[in-house]
Amino acid sequence: MASVEGIVQSVDRVAHIQAEWARERPDLDVSPQGVIGRLHRLAGHLTEQLVVVYRRHGLGEGEFDVLATLRRAGPPFARAPGELAAHTMVTTGAMSKRLDRLERDGLVRRTRDDGDGRGRVVSLTDAGRRVVDAAFADHMANEARLLADLDPADRAALEAILTRWLAEVEPPGAQH
């Protein structure tokens, strides 16, 4: 197997960009680009691979996120629209559009909150639960496939590093 250094030198676009910047701006430390650039590029590649699975189930990334948030809430698989927006980190306007599509497709229903007649509740329909359960099973298989080439020890180390870093970057209480 080729060494990591050999692989990086032969195929890594970020290393090439760093070398160019180091040549053009030797007064700047371009080493942060090594981590951030690779994470950014990797996130794009991973997202492309993740949305393929969502599309197979007739969903976009946002719709999958809403259905998954409702499903993991447990019975009765319902949340207020504002709570859904907070859990999925989108504006209430964006959430409203997602809910319109999901309701139109028969995957969620919006009803009045029994505890507060002015409030609304979004819940999974039986069809929505079937779709998200199938999509989530395929999603987990896809994520396992995407990580399969990583050594288990590297995978555990990467998860620990990313967990610590995310805790530093993300505001408290944002981990939904």
Side-chain angles (χ1 to χ4, degrees):
M1 184 171 172
S3 72
V4 171
E5 293 80 17
I7 292 170
V8 168
Q9 288 176 347
S10 66
V11 299
D12 192 321
R13 179 76 180 131
V14 174
H16 180 74
I17 291 168
Q18 280 182 285
E20 289 176 338
W21 275 120
R23 181 191 70 231
E24 294 301 314
R25 291 295 311 268
D27 57 312
L28 295 176
D29 174 14
V30 298
S31 64
Q33 200 172 38
V35 174
I36 302 297
R38 286 182 181 93
L39 280 174
H40 184 72
R41 290 177 65 85
L42 187 58
H45 291 296
L46 292 174
T47 298
E48 287 174 11
Q49 294 295 310
L50 296 175
V51 298
V52 166
V53 170
Y54 308 146
R55 279 192 218 111
R56 265 191 245 137
H57 294 275
L59 304 170
E61 188 174 22
E63 287 84 15
F64 174 81
D65 202 13
V66 170
L67 295 178
T69 300
L70 289 169
R71 178 62 174 95
R72 69 177 190 264
F77 310 110
R79 295 185 189 262
E83 189 181 5
L84 278 172
H87 277 263
T88 58
M89 296 184 287
V90 297
T91 66
T92 54
M95 179 55 61
S96 204
K97 288 179 183 175
R98 288 179 184 178
L99 293 176
D100 288 346
R101 285 190 295 268
L102 290 167
E103 190 172 39
R104 181 196 66 223
D105 293 344
L107 303 177
V108 301
R109 81 174 56 86
R110 290 184 262 203
T111 57
R112 293 220 179 271
D113 184 347
D114 291 337
D116 175 5
R118 295 170 296 153
R120 304 287 261 164
V121 173
V122 178
S123 57
L124 279 177
T125 62
D126 290 341
R129 185 169 173 192
R130 283 191 302 273
V131 166
V132 74
D133 281 351
F136 185 69
D138 288 350
H139 175 63
M140 287 295 91
N142 191 36
E143 285 191 350
R145 177 189 65 81
L146 291 168
L147 293 172
D149 289 339
L150 288 181
D151 178 90
D154 288 344
R155 184 174 157 177
L158 181 59
E159 182 178 4
I161 290 165
L162 292 174
T163 298
R164 285 191 309 272
W165 191 12
L166 186 59
E168 293 294 323
V169 172
E170 202 166 58
Q175 304 87 359
H176 295 287

